[in-house]
Amino acid sequence: MTDEKIKLFLTKLSEIPFEEEVEDFVFYESMKHLLAIEIIIWCTSEEFYSNFLGLNAKVDNYLKKLNPFTDDIDNKKHRQRIVHLAEMLYNLKDIKGIETVLNKLDKESLEPLFAELEVGKFLFHCRNLDFEYNVPVGINGQDCDLKIYFKKEMYYAEIKCKVQETNFSASTVSKSIAKAFSQMRKNEQNVIYIKVQEDWINHLNFEILKSQILKQLDFTSRIATIILFWDEFEILENNKYGIFTGIEEFRNNSSKSLNSSRSDLFPIDNNKRFEWITLDYLLQKHWPS
């Protein structure tokens, strides 16, 4: 997937005649959606396209099914998640071990795999950290999801996802932490990322989650930090629907990695961020003038 391929695809797209006039905004969003689908096919497979994006695709509760005859909230979420997926695949394509995630795309529920890619985006773009997706070897304690390199140390990360069908309860998060803990390396520094649902993050639920997480951290020094994250959807101008990521981190006071008063283990450095290439940028750069 090169700039030349993208330019050629957009050139061909620009030559397709439209039967009727459409608003500039609608035209632009349609072109972006088609580019997103093309990038996803390039990075995955025709089988993945058929299963999740094609005309006869199965309905995935996270990705949703695009209905061309409506403009409801599910359609907006579908389009945003398609663009979000395409951007993550494009930007993370050269990360070591990314094929371990891509190989699961046709075989597993999409939501946990989105979570793995979202953590990659978080580390790559926001934290400017070296990391790799771990290639599983089938040995308990060695099959973490990510290896993160920070200040001459290696951290082993587990990524858990509470899918949309999961009802809120304190025990479900505790079980995720316990499962992640059972898969962790001994005598190493470990990190747990847990994706939860947006509607779980109200004041009451959040306090319950916080209590459970801190209780779990009291029992071990092997977990350096636990990071909750979730989707946040926001209606923008022109009735566009934006997708953002909410994050809350819980440091372990007994962890050997607690070497500063900072609340985040991997601090954001806005001066050293890797550039995140958006589909808007690719369209503006390669659309024929």
Side-chain angles (χ1 to χ4, degrees):
M1 178 182 34
T2 62
D3 277 12
E4 197 58 38
K5 275 189 173 181
I6 291 174
K7 187 174 183 179
L8 180 60
F9 171 74
L10 292 178
T11 299
K12 290 181 178 179
L13 203 57
S14 70
E15 294 170 352
I16 299 175
F18 277 75
E19 294 183 358
E20 57 185 48
E21 289 292 323
V22 295
E23 296 179 25
D24 288 345
F25 168 73
V26 174
F27 175 82
Y28 180 84
E29 289 299 307
S30 298
M31 296 304 101
K32 185 163 69 172
H33 184 74
L34 291 173
L35 176 59
I37 290 175
E38 191 70 10
I39 288 174
I40 291 168
I41 293 173
W42 282 336
C43 293
T44 58
S45 65
E46 289 286 349
E47 182 183 2
F48 176 80
Y49 172 79
S50 298
N51 286 342
F52 292 102
L53 305 177
L55 291 175
N56 298 314
K58 60 185 178 183
V59 177
D60 179 84
N61 286 331
Y62 180 70
L63 193 59
K64 306 297 183 184
K65 177 91 173 180
L66 181 64
N67 183 342
F69 303 107
T70 67
D71 191 33
D72 60 14
I73 198 71
D74 281 350
N75 260 16
K76 289 182 170 67
K77 287 185 176 181
H78 173 95
R79 290 183 181 277
Q80 279 303 312
R81 283 173 172 155
I82 291 292
V83 170
H84 188 41
L85 176 59
E87 289 182 349
M88 290 191 294
L89 292 173
Y90 182 87
N91 284 275
L92 300 176
K93 62 184 182 297
D94 296 323
I95 297 296
K96 185 176 179 180
I98 187 66
E99 65 277 358
T100 63
V101 181
L102 300 182
N103 289 340
K104 294 185 287 186
L105 280 172
D106 293 334
K107 306 174 182 66
E108 300 184 14
S109 172
L110 282 183
E111 196 168 358
L113 300 177
F114 260 79
E116 291 188 36
L117 293 170
E118 285 166 334
V119 172
K121 176 181 178 179
F122 176 71
L123 295 171
F124 175 83
H125 176 50
C126 299
R127 295 303 195 257
N128 189 23
L129 292 176
D130 290 328
F131 71 97
E132 63 184 80
Y133 288 100
N134 188 44
V135 179
V137 294
I139 301 175
N140 197 38
Q142 295 188 28
D143 283 349
C144 64
D145 294 311
L146 284 171
K147 296 176 182 176
I148 304 168
Y149 305 93
F150 180 64
K151 291 186 177 180
K152 300 181 180 179
E153 289 192 71
M154 183 183 289
Y155 294 81
Y156 299 88
E158 288 289 335
I159 303 169
K160 302 300 178 187
C161 178
K162 312 314 294 180
V163 298
Q164 289 189 344
E165 293 77 18
T166 307
N167 293 323
F168 174 81
S169 73
S171 63
T172 187
V173 172
S174 297
K175 288 176 182 177
S176 290
I177 296 172
K179 184 176 181 181
F181 185 80
S182 70
Q183 297 168 321
M184 288 178 171
R185 295 180 181 234
K186 296 179 180 179
N187 304 316
E188 301 288 356
Q189 286 301 291
N190 299 280
V191 178
I192 302 176
Y193 289 90
I194 305 175
K195 184 171 186 181
V196 298
Q197 298 306 313
E198 182 180 6
D199 59 7
W200 288 22
I201 309 299
N202 59 47
H203 177 71
L204 179 59
N205 287 351
F206 180 77
E207 289 304 313
I208 294 172
L209 289 174
K210 179 179 178 180
S211 174
Q212 287 296 315
I213 290 169
L214 294 178
K215 188 183 299 183
Q216 294 281 329
L217 289 176
D218 281 342
F219 291 103
T220 181
S221 61
R222 282 165 56 190
I223 304 175
T225 191
I226 295 176
I227 299 170
L228 289 185
F229 66 105
W230 58 91
D231 289 341
E232 291 183 349
F233 287 91
E234 183 178 336
I235 298 178
L236 308 173
E237 60 182 13
N238 294 324
N239 204 29
K240 289 176 64 175
Y241 213 57
I243 181 171
F244 306 94
T245 301
I247 295 172
E248 188 72 32
E249 180 167 353
F250 302 89
R251 292 288 299 275
N252 189 345
N253 291 330
S254 61
S255 168
K256 69 179 184 180
S257 69
L258 190 68
N259 49 20
S260 75
S261 60
R262 295 190 64 96
S263 61
D264 47 351
L265 177 61
F266 308 125
I268 294 176
D269 187 343
N270 288 319
N271 295 319
K272 294 184 178 179
R273 281 190 172 198
F274 283 119
E275 181 183 7
W276 188 258
I277 298 174
T278 66
L279 263 61
D280 291 298
Y281 170 81
L282 291 175
L283 266 175
Q284 292 165 13
K285 180 181 180 182
H286 296 299
W287 188 261
S289 54

